Amino acid sequence: MKYVSTRGVSRGDDFASVLLSGLAPDGGLFVPDTLSPFSSDEIDSYRNQDYATVAKRIIGLFSAGSVSQDIIDASVDAALSRFHHAAIAPLRQLNQDTWLMELFHGPTFAFKDYALQIVGELIDRQLAKEGRRATIICATSGDTGAAAAAAFAGRSNVDVVVLHPHGRVSDVQRRQMTTLPDANVRNFAVEGDFDDCQAMVKELFMDPAAAPLNLTAVNSINWARIICQTVYYVWSSLRLSASGPVNYVVPTGNFGNILAADIARILGFPVGKLMLSSNENDVLPRFFNSGSMERRDTVETLSPSMDIQLSSNFERALWLAIGGDTEQVAAVQKELADKGRYTLVAESLEQLRQRYSATACGREEALAEMRQAQKESDVVLCPHTATAAYAARQAGFSGPTVVVGTAHPAKFTRAVELALGHPADMPALLAPVMEAEERYSVIARDTDALRDTLLG
Ligand SMILES: *Cc1c(COP(=O)(O)O)cnc(C)c1O
């Protein structure tokens, strides 16, 4: 399979190059040049298969002709061996028609592990094959940094550099990144907010003096991450679709997770309606109402991993919804960069609305939902997942509906205590990070100084 840019440039990139690079050369995002539905026999052949088999087949499909199936198989097996639940993505019934998909049984207890553990294996093996080293750099509001550090710690061909905003991630999130003993993991707490961290990463990528670092991005625009996430939609939709297509409600920030569900639907798997939930940073619900994308200042909420104003993967969703109209995508992205906002033409908005709907959930609603879920179903939700449970209740879909559980509640002690009056039980595997010694440096928002430190 070959890849093209959402903004039009096509130079025949293959999966390996998409895996190891960030943006397409014209600043757009890589997307497959063809994406056609499977036959019903093909779909049936995925039924009753375990998670690992589904993962190997789906990732193999998107990397065909580039990365060998042997590398895919070994990567999936090694990655999944580090998960704590035999089903990998267990489905827990909440009531008659609603299930919780628990995507927090990986090493860092958030759904980012489901892609990054596999992508870490793939990148390390591909670099070894090409005889190269790389520096993985990422800016994080909490979960991505922890998952990336865990995925690349101790690997021989990769160094990892993680920037987080000083004092603005939860204690558990920070400790997960900073207590790893491996010398190839370096953490920096930037005196600034998440946007400052992200800007420093971009500046490093554009700095010719940083070239010797051979920087590689694993933020959520990396296509390989999306494909690894499509796996749990394929697997779960086939398990629950006896009475019709399965609807999903997804706590959303950068739009990567819900986009992965749309890919499963495009391939012909029984995925029904897709709804995203947001917190008070409700740029996407406002957009689906009005057709205008308009960034505002980010407010701090109980669900920090969704405190985002510009969803980078939305560009792919738009490209898919409007039939690959690269001119329109490029025009809209230019307007966004120039003016900080755009308004979509009515026809394109309608095409997007046919694929997704959106609901915002405020702080009090999220806390009430956490209490309700405990009372009704004896389950403790993380504050991100609570926004989706709330949105699912509002939506009242008919047919099986899955609330996507994006993190373990123990990662967000403060929100759980506010809602329930007591902390969530700490999983035994998470407890040691609360004791271990931390390693990180607090730095100013000074990209040149950081580059010099890294070049050491
Ligand atoms: C990253 C994250 C999200 C947002 O996912 P996107 O793919 O960026 O939309 C939601 N919840 C949690 C807990 C996360 O870590």
Side-chain angles (χ1 to χ4, degrees):
M1 191 175 279
K2 296 290 183 206
Y3 290 84
V4 296
S5 165
T6 47
R7 299 189 195 172
V9 167
S10 161
R11 56 174 192 197
D13 286 85
D14 63 6
F15 186 80
S17 100
V18 167
L19 174 71
L20 293 172
S21 57
L23 291 173
D26 56 357
L29 304 187
F30 285 115
V31 278
D33 65 351
T34 51
L35 207 51
S36 36
F38 286 152
S39 67
S40 57
D41 283 353
E42 187 93 36
I43 299 281
D44 281 340
S45 75
Y46 279 84
R47 282 183 206 280
N48 302 319
Q49 297 203 321
D50 64 10
Y51 193 97
T53 307
V54 173
K56 291 169 188 173
R57 291 181 66 186
I58 293 289
I59 300 166
L61 175 77
F62 284 92
S63 58
S66 175
V67 176
S68 75
Q69 190 66 42
D70 286 351
I71 289 191
I72 307 284
D73 292 355
S75 296
V76 168
D77 286 335
L80 296 185
S81 74
R82 292 187 288 268
F83 281 64
H84 324 129
H85 196 295
I88 308 294
L91 294 159
R92 174 168 176 163
Q93 190 156 13
L94 296 179
N95 58 42
Q96 175 82 29
D97 273 333
T98 316
W99 281 262
L100 173 69
M101 179 157 63
E102 297 183 353
L103 297 180
F104 45 75
H105 295 287
T108 69
F109 297 85
F111 85 91
K112 306 290 196 295
D113 288 328
Y114 287 71
L116 277 165
Q117 282 291 325
I118 298 176
V119 167
E121 294 286 342
L122 288 173
I123 286 183
D124 199 42
R125 282 164 212 260
Q126 191 62 28
L127 286 170
K129 201 176 137 203
E130 296 178 16
R132 293 204 284 141
R133 278 191 72 77
T135 303
I136 304 287
I137 184 155
C138 85
T140 185
S141 57
D143 293 327
T144 302
F152 292 99
R155 297 195 179 279
S156 38
N157 303 301
V158 184
D159 295 306
V160 202
V161 176
V162 183
L163 309 185
H164 73 265
H166 188 37
R168 298 202 196 193
V169 301
S170 81
D171 281 354
V172 176
Q173 288 178 316
R174 189 194 63 250
R175 288 185 152 275
Q176 284 183 315
M177 312 186 257
T178 60
T179 56
L180 289 165
D182 310 85
N184 73 330
V185 180
R186 297 172 78 178
N187 283 282
F188 297 94
V190 175
E191 289 172 325
D193 60 15
F194 171 67
D195 289 328
D196 291 316
C197 299
Q198 187 124 16
M200 289 174 79
V201 169
K202 282 200 184 132
E203 285 158 23
L204 280 174
F205 267 97
M206 289 182 315
D207 179 359
L213 294 169
N214 198 6
L215 294 172
T216 298
V218 290
N219 51 12
S220 72
I221 57 163
N222 189 305
W223 174 256
R225 280 181 62 182
I226 307 285
I227 283 316
C228 294
Q229 292 170 192
T230 295
V231 173
Y232 45 75
Y233 292 104
V234 169
W235 180 82
S236 62
S237 66
L238 291 172
R239 267 182 172 58
L240 296 178
S241 61
S243 61
V246 183
N247 311 305
Y248 290 87
V249 188
V250 188
T252 293
N254 261 324
F255 219 88
N257 203 359
I258 193 166
L259 181 81
D262 202 11
I263 303 290
R265 185 167 58 182
I266 291 168
L267 291 175
F269 291 98
V271 172
K273 297 202 162 78
L274 296 179
M275 172 177 267
L276 67 89
S277 62
S278 80
N279 57 28
E280 298 94 302
N281 294 297
D282 59 350
V283 56
L284 289 167
R286 282 189 286 113
F287 169 81
F288 277 92
N289 256 327
S290 67
S292 292
M293 189 73 85
E294 191 188 336
R295 71 181 299 178
R296 297 188 179 160
D297 287 339
T298 310
V299 296
E300 269 184 64
T301 71
L302 294 175
S303 39
S305 302
M306 294 157 65
D307 288 348
I308 286 176
Q309 288 289 327
L310 289 181
S311 304
S312 42
N313 272 296
F314 191 71
E315 181 167 344
R316 286 190 170 113
L318 176 63
W319 181 88
L320 282 167
I322 63 177
D325 178 350
T326 55
E327 266 175 46
Q328 192 183 149
V329 173
V332 154
Q333 293 299 332
K334 183 169 182 326
E335 202 176 330
L336 185 64
D338 292 348
K339 299 188 194 145
R341 56 166 300 165
Y342 65 77
T343 300
L344 214 55
V345 296
E347 191 195 348
S348 302
L349 178 62
E350 196 41 47
Q351 286 167 314
L352 273 165
R353 280 184 179 152
Q354 280 168 18
R355 308 176 88 94
Y356 311 100
S357 57
T359 298
C361 171
R363 179 187 170 97
E364 292 312 316
E365 287 89 354
L367 291 171
E369 190 62 42
M370 289 165 78
R371 284 189 282 273
Q372 180 88 4
Q374 191 186 46
K375 209 171 108 207
E376 236 178 52
S377 320
D378 195 24
V379 49
V380 179
L381 300 178
C382 95
H384 308 75
T385 308
T387 67
Y390 169 83
R393 211 183 283 280
Q394 302 293 311
F397 290 136
S398 58
T401 297
V402 172
V403 170
V404 175
T406 48
H408 193 286
K411 291 190 82 166
F412 302 95
T413 325
R414 198 171 76 89
V416 174
E417 278 199 46
L418 270 175
L420 308 180
H422 61 79
D425 292 340
M426 184 70 70
L429 286 163
L430 195 49
V433 307
M434 299 314 284
E435 308 294 324
E437 193 191 331
E438 293 192 77
R439 258 184 331 117
Y440 67 100
S441 327
V442 179
I443 59 168
R445 194 219 169 290
D446 179 343
T447 309
D448 289 343
L450 175 61
R451 178 202 59 218
D452 293 343
T453 306
L454 295 178
L455 288 168

